[in-house]
Amino acid sequence: MSQEDRQRWNDRYQQASLPREPSAFLRSLADRLPREGRALDLAGGPGQDACWLARRGLDVTLVDISDVALAQAEILARDEGVSLTCLRLDLESGALPPGPFDLVVCLNYLWRPLFSAVPRLLAPGGLFVFAQPTRSNLQRHPHPSARFLLDDGELPTLLQGLQSLSFTECWTNTARHEARVLARRPVNDSQD
């Protein structure tokens, strides 16, 4: 991303009201997610999901391009009495934090080359949680633009090296058309 993109995200987070509640999709997976180990929240924004994971007992690293979002995440973590590692990182050009992670979460961020890195980030048996609107979302919403949307039916084709545990693609209760997946790196996968 360019410096202009970073500034756009900083401006967006500076002007937005901060979400304090974690993703409903992430919370719906609570019984399936680990309660210990390492977690990575990719493009985690102001940290509501990362803090929820930390409250559950995970050692969480949150990465985002926005300085403003990371500062907000640090404040939220302090307010909630949890510890987060916050890293400013351009996911499109920077080196990802070294794994292995027991959980990688990526909600509302799409950069297709990231999918090839996820299996290497995960420990064998580690879980990947991903959600992103699809092009069908444009039927009701002008944003995000088509550039940032999955093609309908595309998500399963991106999960190379991962085993899908659950997949949905539908209108959500928030009136967004999203593709959502919980996937796992096979336990017997020893590739690096």
Side-chain angles (χ1 to χ4, degrees):
M1 286 188 172
S2 67
Q3 180 61 33
E4 182 180 308
D5 288 331
R6 175 177 282 127
Q7 188 58 51
R8 181 174 51 86
W9 281 108
N10 280 337
D11 292 345
R12 181 176 174 181
Y13 283 116
Q14 189 70 47
Q15 297 166 7
S17 61
L18 297 179
R20 301 288 282 199
E21 290 297 315
S23 155
F25 172 53
L26 190 61
R27 287 184 312 211
S28 76
L29 299 171
D31 292 343
R32 302 177 82 177
L33 300 180
R35 290 190 166 270
E36 59 183 28
R38 296 179 68 211
L40 177 62
D41 188 359
L42 297 170
Q48 70 278 6
D49 296 326
C51 286
W52 182 78
L53 293 169
R55 284 194 313 270
R56 291 173 46 87
L58 291 159
D59 177 12
V60 182
T61 299
L62 180 153
V63 297
D64 201 279
I65 195 168
S66 169
D67 306 299
V68 172
L70 293 172
Q72 292 169 343
E74 289 170 348
I75 291 168
L76 181 60
R78 186 182 64 234
D79 290 351
E80 294 192 8
V82 297
S83 177
L84 293 180
T85 300
C86 294
L87 301 174
R88 187 180 80 173
L89 178 66
D90 181 343
L91 291 171
E92 296 178 14
S93 64
L96 294 169
F101 292 94
D102 301 288
L103 175 65
V104 173
V105 174
C106 185
L107 303 175
N108 301 305
Y109 176 77
L110 179 62
W111 189 58
R112 288 169 180 85
L114 197 58
F115 283 91
S116 64
V118 169
R120 293 188 308 274
L121 289 171
L122 288 169
L127 298 174
F128 177 51
V129 175
F130 180 84
Q132 181 70 16
T134 70
R135 288 186 186 270
S136 289
N137 195 62
L138 292 173
Q139 295 170 15
R140 297 184 187 172
H141 308 285
H143 299 287
S145 68
R147 175 179 161 212
F148 301 107
L149 297 173
L150 286 166
D151 290 329
D152 293 337
E154 179 184 10
L155 182 54
T157 69
L158 298 174
L159 298 176
Q160 298 175 18
L162 298 175
Q163 172 185 47
S164 177
L165 301 176
S166 69
F167 168 74
T168 59
E169 186 172 308
C170 60
W171 291 101
T172 68
N173 59 357
T174 60
R176 287 170 41 123
H177 196 272
E178 287 187 349
R180 297 172 168 184
V181 71
L182 172 64
R184 175 176 51 209
R185 178 177 170 184
V187 174
N188 59 356
D189 182 4
S190 61
Q191 292 182 2
D192 287 324

